[in-house]
Structure formats: C-alpha cells, structure tokens
Amino acid sequence: MIQGMLRDDALKGKTIIVTGGGTGLGKAMSTYFLTLGANVVITSRKLEVLTKTAAEMESATGGKVLALQCDVRNYDEVEAMMNASIAQFGQVDALLNNAAGNFISPTERLSANAFSTVIDIVLKGSVNCSLALGKYWIANKISGNILNIVTTYAFTGSAYVVPSACAKGGVLAMTRSLAVEWGRHNIRTNAIAPGPFPTKGAWERLLPGEMASKFDFRNRVPLKRVGEHQELANLAAFLVSDFSGYINGEVITIDGGEWLQGAGQFSALEMVTPEMWDGIEKMTRSAK
Ligand code: COA
C-alpha cells in the first residue's frame, strides 16, 4: 500500500478544478488533494456520478467538494463552471486537465465524427479550460497552475489510438508553449505522462473483454507491475503544490519504464535465458 507523500496541510487554502474528477484517476487525485487540505471542484458530463462521488469524498476526507456538470468541449459551459467555482470558493488556484475520451480502433474504421469527438474532448477540452482559467488568472493577477494529464504515446504516437495520440501530442505542445508564455504571469504549466494505471473506464475502452487477460500490461513494464493510483496522486499533488514552484514546462513520466522498454532496440532480449546467454557470449567473444 503506497502512502501519501506530502504533509497534511500541503494544499491548504487552494482550490483545484479537476475535469473528469468523478471517476477513476481523477477521483483518486481529487481525494488526495482533499486530504491535503484543498477545496476541489469535480466536473464531468454526468452530474449524478459527480454528486455521489462528491458526497463520498467529503465524508472520507472532511474536505469541501463542488460537483459541477460541464462538457469541456463547450467553452460556454467551461466558463460557467469556472465562475460557479469562483462564486463558491472565492478563487481558483489550479486546474487539472484530466478529462479524456479514448477507445481502441483501427483508424480506417473511424468516422470523421469519431476522430473529432476524441480530439474535441482531449485537446479542445484542455484548451477551453486552460484558456478560461488563464484569462481569469491574468486579469486578476493570481498565480495559477495548470497540470495536464497526457500519456507516453504523446511522445511516440501509437497505433490504434490515433485520435488520442494526436490530441495528447497537442496537449503536450500546449503545456510547453504556455509554460513560456504565461510564466511571466506566475502561471506554471506542467504535464504528467502516466503509463498503465488500471481504471474501469479506461480498461473497458482500451482492453475490452478477453484482451485484458491476453494482453497483460505488466509484461510491458520493466518493473513488472501496473501503477497504484496513490503513486499518481502523489506526483499530481506535488506538481499542483508550491513545493514544485520552480518546475514549469515539464512533463514527468510515471510508467515504470514502460515506454523506454518499447523503444529500446534490444529490450526484447529479456526473453533470453542465462543458458542461452552462455552460448551467445561464446559467439560474440569469438566474433572477429
Ligand atoms: N469505435 C468506433 N467508433 C466509435 C466508438 C468505437 N468504439 N465509440 C464511439 N464511436 C463513434 C460514434 O459512432 C460516433 O461517430 P458517428 O456519429 O460517426 O457514428 C462518434 O464516435 C461519437 O460517439 P458518441 O458516443 O456520440 O460520443 P460521446 O461524446 O457520447 O462519447 C466517447 C465520446 C466515444 C469518447 C466515449 O467513449 C466517452 O464518452 N468517453 C469518455 C470516457 C473516456 O473515454 N475516458 C478515457 C478512457 S482511456
């Protein structure tokens, strides 16, 4: 069981908006922010899910949660969500762009609308929220903090999730761009690139049915395990806290080494047994 990393008051007095905060990783990160003293606004399209999660998180942590319905694809809804958050808590200090949409599919099977839908949720949604909060922070001279959840295939691209790869690549470019442009306004912008952290929502869309047992993610990770939600929550809390005050424009990978294992030309040699290495060593030593 992984423990919380920061001291109890590490986020005291901060208000953090977490898009997609009603379920999965968004819920795990929000819960930890509350434990550290933050007020949290959770948003998604499903108010019923949000309201239930908010009550659960409040009773578990004693913190204050505001549940707001918001489709991040629509700027007007984002602005209304931000204004309601300010009205409730007085100020918003940080934005966690966590809401995402994704499913596996050969690209040629996708309709144009399917492709756009993922781009709209992931890229346009993150842009809409960052834009609304950025305008608010700059106009009111408030130090802001944007944390974007991307993925390791934002660097490499990935087959079968092409709309998501395009969108996450865009979010990564936005992270680095805004870090420079808005740094002078005391707005920090960073990203986290998580590897496999199982959640119901993602696993049903990315490893449906028997794929979960046939395609075991643990084998793809040098550490031979998937991530624990608290490990991600620890990193996210650090990045939205003042303890990371000089980190700006960074993307931190938290994947047990997964993407590098996939990238290294000889990484598959982990299949070679010690006995086979004996024979291979003889051959490589005798090569002239
Ligand atoms: N394969 C191919 N096309 C698909 C699809 C699939 N599995 N699922 C949806 N689509 C298509 C739809 O057919 C539609 O295209 P069309 O109008 O040409 O028929 C388009 O995608 C939009 O689907 P719709 O269901 O109307 O959109 P939505 O906004 O309600 O849902 C999704 C968006 C599809 C991304 C949905 O999976 C979702 O809501 N995800 C949110 C949670 C999530 O994905 N989290 C990330 C987990 S990793």
Side-chain angles (χ1 to χ4, degrees):
M1 179 76 177
I2 307 290
Q3 303 210 324
M5 176 178 79
L6 296 178
R7 65 182 195 217
D8 288 351
D9 63 349
L11 297 177
K12 195 165 193 295
K14 286 195 190 299
T15 296
I16 304 168
I17 293 175
V18 181
T19 65
T23 54
L25 300 180
K27 182 179 173 186
M29 291 186 280
S30 298
T31 304
Y32 189 45
F33 296 165
L34 289 160
T35 307
L36 298 174
N39 305 314
V40 174
V41 181
I42 54 172
T43 81
S44 80
R45 284 173 289 170
K46 297 180 186 144
L47 187 58
E48 206 182 308
V49 174
L50 290 173
T51 311
K52 194 166 161 274
T53 299
E56 203 183 298
M57 291 197 297
E58 282 190 339
S59 74
T61 64
K64 287 205 176 69
V65 184
L66 178 63
L68 292 176
Q69 188 167 25
C70 173
D71 186 336
V72 290
R73 292 175 283 193
N74 302 326
Y75 189 78
D76 290 350
E77 288 184 43
V78 168
E79 230 177 15
M81 175 273 289
M82 179 185 76
N83 289 333
S85 306
I86 297 166
Q88 173 78 18
F89 294 117
Q91 180 172 309
V92 173
D93 304 280
L95 164 69
L96 175 51
N97 280 315
N98 165 74
N102 197 8
F103 52 82
I104 48 169
S105 174
T107 307
E108 70 277 13
R109 292 173 64 113
L110 295 174
S111 68
N113 187 43
F115 209 112
S116 306
T117 299
V118 172
I119 301 258
D120 283 354
I121 298 171
V122 176
L123 179 54
K124 203 172 146 203
S126 302
V127 168
N128 284 343
C129 294
S130 304
L131 190 59
L133 267 298
K135 285 173 188 282
Y136 154 71
W137 285 326
I138 292 168
N140 293 282
K141 296 192 168 38
I142 295 171
S143 309
N145 193 331
I146 301 172
L147 180 58
N148 296 318
I149 302 298
V150 294
T151 162
T152 51
Y153 61 70
F155 324 140
T156 59
S158 176
Y160 304 106
V161 282
V162 173
S164 172
C166 295
K168 294 287 192 182
V171 175
L172 183 56
M174 180 178 73
T175 304
R176 291 173 171 149
S177 308
L178 289 181
V180 174
E181 191 175 329
W182 287 354
R184 70 196 174 92
H185 298 293
N186 251 322
I187 299 170
R188 294 192 292 124
T189 311
N190 292 295
I192 295 177
F197 282 84
T199 62
K200 188 172 177 294
W203 253 228
E204 279 173 0
R205 290 179 176 86
L206 302 178
L207 291 172
E210 287 183 5
M211 283 185 73
S213 54
K214 292 208 168 123
F215 192 74
D216 190 341
F217 260 97
R218 284 173 296 191
N219 297 329
R220 293 180 37 81
V221 179
L223 295 181
K224 299 296 173 210
R225 67 174 179 87
V226 293
E228 285 197 30
H229 290 190
Q230 185 61 45
E231 292 177 304
L232 181 65
N234 282 344
L235 178 58
F238 170 63
L239 288 173
V240 296
S241 79
D242 295 337
F243 295 112
S244 62
Y246 204 50
I247 300 180
N248 185 29
E250 189 53 82
V251 52
I252 300 185
T253 300
I254 177 165
D255 74 341
E258 182 197 27
W259 86 275
L260 287 172
Q261 170 160 304
Q265 195 169 24
F266 291 96
S267 299
L269 296 189
E270 69 165 357
M271 319 268 287
V272 177
T273 63
E275 296 72 33
M276 287 163 76
W277 276 119
D278 292 341
I280 291 169
E281 186 177 340
K282 276 195 196 109
M283 288 190 279
T284 54
R285 280 183 183 279
S286 64
K288 290 279 183 295

